Each structure stands twice: as C-alpha cells, then as structure tokens.
C-alpha cells in the first residue's frame, strides 16, 4: 500500500501506521490464577494514597492543573533541579512519545537496543522517524558500543533502558559514561529508568548500575525518565516524570496532549512521596526484589539460563519454545508475557504463584540445560 492508495474502508491512512500492530496488553488471569504479564506491583494501594485519590472525586467537573505544578515542585526539590527541569506525563511511555516527537521526524533515525521495551518501535513509527535496532549482547544487556557505532548524521535520539525491559539487565555507570562520551552532544539521549528502584547493585564500582539522578546537569543532551507505575504501585493512574534541560522539556511540552495527567494521578503521586508512605512503599519494593532473587536462584537451579534480573521481573530465554512454554503456564493459571521467538517475561507477583511457576517450568527445562545451571 502506498501513501496515496485508499485503505479497504476508503479512508487514506499512513500505510506505516495501518500496518503497525497495536500495543498488546497481557491476557487477564483466570479467577483462580495469577497475572504475571504486566510488571504490576502485586500489593494493594496504601490507604493514605487511596484516600488522596478519593478526595479528588468532588472536583472531577474541573480540569486538573495542566502542568501538575505541585508534583513538579516536590520532584524538583528531591532532585535538586528547578521546576522547569521537571515534566510530568501520563506514564513514562507518554513522555517518551513526546520527546521522540520533539526531536525526530521523517528522514531521522532513533537508535535503541533490541529486544527492549516493546513500545519503542511504535512510538518511533508514529513520529515518522526510522528505528535503528541494535541487538543485545549474549548476556541480554545493551551493547552500547554497537549502539554508538550505529549513530549517523541522521540519528536524532538514542534510547537506553536500564534495567532493560524485558530482559532485566542493567547498563553500568561506566558503560553509560563511555557511551555519552562517544555520541554527539546534539543528539538527544533518553535514559529510561522505569524500574530503577528495584536495582540492587553496589552503588559504586565496576558493576554499579547507571543512576540518572547522579548525572543531572552533567550532559546537556540527557533526559531521564521514571514512573510511579511500578515501585509506587500506581499503574492504573498513569503518572510518570522526566528530568532534564528546560529547553528540551519545553519542546516535549509542546508535543503533549493537554491535560493528560489527572488530578487523581497527581494526588496519588504526591501522597506516595510523603515520608511515611514512601518508607512503606520502598519496603514493599525490597520484598519484591527479594522474591525476584529467590525466583531467579530457583530457576537457575533447575537449569534455566536466566540472566541477571534487576527489575520486578525475570527473563526466560525460551527461544523457539516460547509459545509452547507460555501456553503451558497459561493452562496452569499463570499469565506471562511471551515475546516469540525470543523469550518470556515473568513478573514477580504474589508469593503463592511461585510454587506453580516452578513446578511447570521444572517440567520444561531444555534438555541441553538440565543439570547445568547458568
């Protein structure tokens, strides 16, 4: 189909958009099963957060603050930046779309690792730009040297995801700084840190994870993106934020859908940042990280070559057996996210799901891996 050919319905659509698969949400879990497909936080909302959301109900006849100023002020204070250097959006994926649209269009390129967050290809296509996907290393982490090699005069944006979704591997601080030293200073770099709260590496040293908050003000082309969906358990309210140079954020603000962050979302985020609430939320993160480590250790013991896991999920490299394994898990009441023909992402959910998960996967260990933990 060309740009001038009508679709079967008669309306002329952009062919690349008509051919673009829609974002696929995980299947719902059966009543007696577990949804381990969407990296949701398994804990219920804190009472104080739920109360803050409920309190906004009496004002739903009014538009929210378009800039989420109170939340931006709170985040600016936390990160030691001005409010102009903070932008709040309807989840970090919404902000990614805004930044890509602000920097790249037809004829431009956007570089990112693959496999990485499944929304990246669609966001780039919608902007009119071209995706340049760079294969992950054998350990399922970003190959930043290869990504730097892929940058051309047409490259306008590079996306780095740490921990990488769906494989869970981090980018180290040393790797990221070496990457920033190689890429042009006029190319926008988006550091997607949706899962950073779950990282448990040493804060310094060769294996330390990159932490965008330590790099603020150092690079004039760097923006970091974070979310309240995962660690703070607000996935259903869609609120994320980005921090970076004001002129880049101003451009992203120009591409935003106005009033996309609701009053309820902003209120929930502010309530989650209250000291007592945040302590409890981060204690829950610690519990999830502990479950993740125990799950990965058990899978390694079974013989599955599970890579390092630093998000609230583990990656199972099932290759050509991806659909088979995912369907066996589904039949047992476990909904996971399959990415054929590469692997399966399994969210760390309720502890009761683990027994069934390990039982089924124990029956499906590749013959070449049995007795040979990675």
């Amino acid at each position: 189909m060309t740009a001038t050919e009508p679709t079967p319905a008669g309306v002329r659509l952009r062919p690349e958009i008509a051919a673009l698969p829609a974002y696929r949400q995980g299947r719902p879990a059966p009543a007696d099963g577990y949804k381990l497909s969407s990296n949701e936080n398994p804990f219920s909302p804190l009472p104080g957060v739920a109360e803050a959301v409920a309190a906004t109900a009496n004002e739903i006849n009014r538009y929210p603050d378009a800039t989420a100023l109170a939340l931006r002020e709170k985040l600016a204070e936390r990160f030691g930046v001005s409010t102009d250097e903070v932008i709040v959006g309807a989840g970090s994926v919404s902000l990614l779309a805004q930044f890509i649209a602000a920097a790249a269009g037809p004829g431009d390129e956007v570089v990112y690792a693959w496999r990485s967050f499944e929304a990246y290809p669609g966001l780039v296509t919608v902007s009119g730009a071209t995706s340049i996907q760079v294969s992950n290393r054998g350990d399922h982490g970003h190959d930043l040297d290869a990504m730097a090699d892929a940058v051309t005069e047409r490259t306008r944006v590079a996306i780095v995801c740490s921990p990488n979704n769906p494989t869970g591997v981090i980018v180290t601080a040393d790797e990221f700084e070496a990457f920033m030293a190689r890429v042009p200073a006029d190319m926008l770099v988006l550091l997607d840190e949706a899962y950073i709260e779950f990282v448990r590496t040493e804060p310094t040293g060769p294996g330390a994870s990159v932490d965008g908050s330590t790099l603020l003000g150092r690079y004039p082309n760097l923006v970091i993106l974070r979310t309240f969906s995962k660690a703070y358990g607000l996935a259903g309210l869609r609120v994320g934020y980005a921090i970076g140079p004001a002129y880049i954020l101003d451009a992203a603000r120009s591409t935003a859908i106005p009033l996309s962050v609701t009053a309820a979302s902003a209120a929930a985020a502010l309530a989650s940042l209250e000291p007592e609430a945040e302590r409890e939320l981060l204690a829950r993160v610690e519990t999830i990280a502990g479950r993740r480590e125990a799950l990965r250790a058990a899978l390694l013991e079974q013989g599955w070559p599970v890579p390092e896991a630093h998000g609230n999920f583990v990656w199972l490299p099932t290759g050509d057996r991806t659909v088979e394994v995912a369907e066996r898990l589904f039949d047992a009441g476990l909904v996971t996210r399959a990415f054929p023909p590469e692997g399966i992402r399994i969210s760390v959910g309720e502890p009761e799901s683990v027994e069934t998960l390990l039982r089924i996967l124990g029956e499906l260990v590749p013959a070449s891996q049995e007795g040979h933990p990675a």
Side-chain angles (χ1 to χ4, degrees):
M1 183 185 297
T2 69
T4 59
E5 292 178 337
T7 65
V11 175
R12 297 179 186 276
L13 303 174
R14 288 169 56 192
E16 68 273 24
I17 301 300
L20 189 66
Y23 178 83
R24 183 175 59 85
Q25 191 172 17
R27 291 184 288 186
D32 59 347
Y34 299 94
K35 185 183 178 188
L36 308 177
S37 58
S38 298
N39 292 347
E40 295 157 329
N41 192 312
F43 290 96
S44 298
L46 293 177
V49 173
E51 290 167 7
V53 172
T56 68
N58 291 328
E59 298 181 357
I60 59 174
N61 58 311
R62 303 293 184 185
Y63 286 116
D65 173 5
T67 69
L69 179 60
L71 180 54
R72 286 169 51 224
E73 288 175 337
K74 187 75 171 180
L75 292 168
E77 178 183 5
R78 167 165 298 202
F79 288 96
V81 298
S82 70
T83 55
D84 289 339
E85 294 171 295
V86 181
I87 185 172
V88 174
S92 57
V93 67
S94 176
L95 292 168
L96 280 164
Q98 292 172 226
F99 285 109
I100 293 170
D108 298 329
E109 297 174 346
V110 178
V111 172
Y112 53 89
W114 197 252
R115 179 172 285 276
S116 194
F117 182 31
E118 62 191 293
Y120 294 160
L123 297 178
V124 175
T125 297
V126 169
S127 76
T130 300
S131 286
I132 304 298
Q133 298 179 345
V134 178
S135 298
N136 285 324
R137 301 180 308 233
D139 66 354
H140 304 281
H142 283 17
D143 187 339
L144 289 186
D145 282 336
M147 286 179 63
D149 290 341
V151 172
T152 71
E153 61 180 14
R154 296 173 59 191
T155 309
R156 296 294 178 266
V157 182
I159 309 173
V160 176
C161 186
S162 180
N164 185 43
N165 174 19
T167 65
V169 181
I170 59 164
V171 170
T172 69
D174 291 343
E175 289 170 339
F176 189 76
E177 291 190 28
F179 175 75
M180 292 300 291
R182 287 193 58 193
V183 300
D186 62 355
M187 182 191 76
L188 176 60
V189 178
L190 301 175
L191 179 56
D192 185 350
E193 297 184 304
Y195 299 92
I196 191 169
E197 292 89 353
F198 298 95
V199 172
R200 291 298 178 271
T201 64
E202 293 296 325
T204 59
S209 176
V210 64
D211 179 349
S213 67
T214 68
L215 303 175
L216 296 175
R218 181 171 171 183
Y219 299 104
N221 59 329
L222 174 65
V223 172
I224 69 170
L225 299 102
R226 296 187 178 184
T227 183
F228 287 93
S229 295
K230 313 303 181 184
Y232 291 85
L234 302 183
L237 287 173
R238 311 304 304 128
V239 56
Y241 61 97
I243 304 174
Y247 79 96
I248 301 177
L249 270 58
D250 285 342
R253 290 185 181 99
S254 297
T255 69
I257 297 174
L259 303 162
S260 59
V261 178
T262 67
S265 301
L270 281 166
S272 298
L273 293 173
E274 288 297 317
E276 184 176 349
E278 189 167 35
R279 279 194 296 272
E280 185 168 350
L281 289 167
L282 294 181
R284 293 176 171 188
V285 168
E286 195 65 39
T287 298
I288 293 170
R291 287 181 195 169
R292 175 198 68 203
E293 292 305 305
L295 175 59
R296 178 174 183 257
L299 292 171
L300 289 172
E301 183 65 27
Q302 287 184 346
W304 288 100
V306 180
E308 291 185 16
H310 293 282
N312 63 340
F313 54 89
V314 296
W315 174 249
L316 208 62
T318 43
D320 292 339
R321 301 178 65 211
T322 294
V323 173
E324 171 203 351
V325 174
E327 287 302 315
R328 283 286 300 276
L329 291 170
F330 182 77
D331 290 343
L334 303 176
V335 181
T336 58
R337 182 60 69 93
F339 296 96
E342 294 152 291
I344 300 171
R345 189 191 67 198
I346 304 173
S347 305
V348 177
E350 295 81 357
E352 296 81 5
S353 66
V354 175
E355 181 179 350
T356 302
L357 180 65
L358 292 176
R359 176 174 58 81
I360 299 300
L361 291 178
E363 299 170 357
L364 297 171
V365 179
S368 62
Q369 297 293 334
E370 290 179 354
H372 299 283

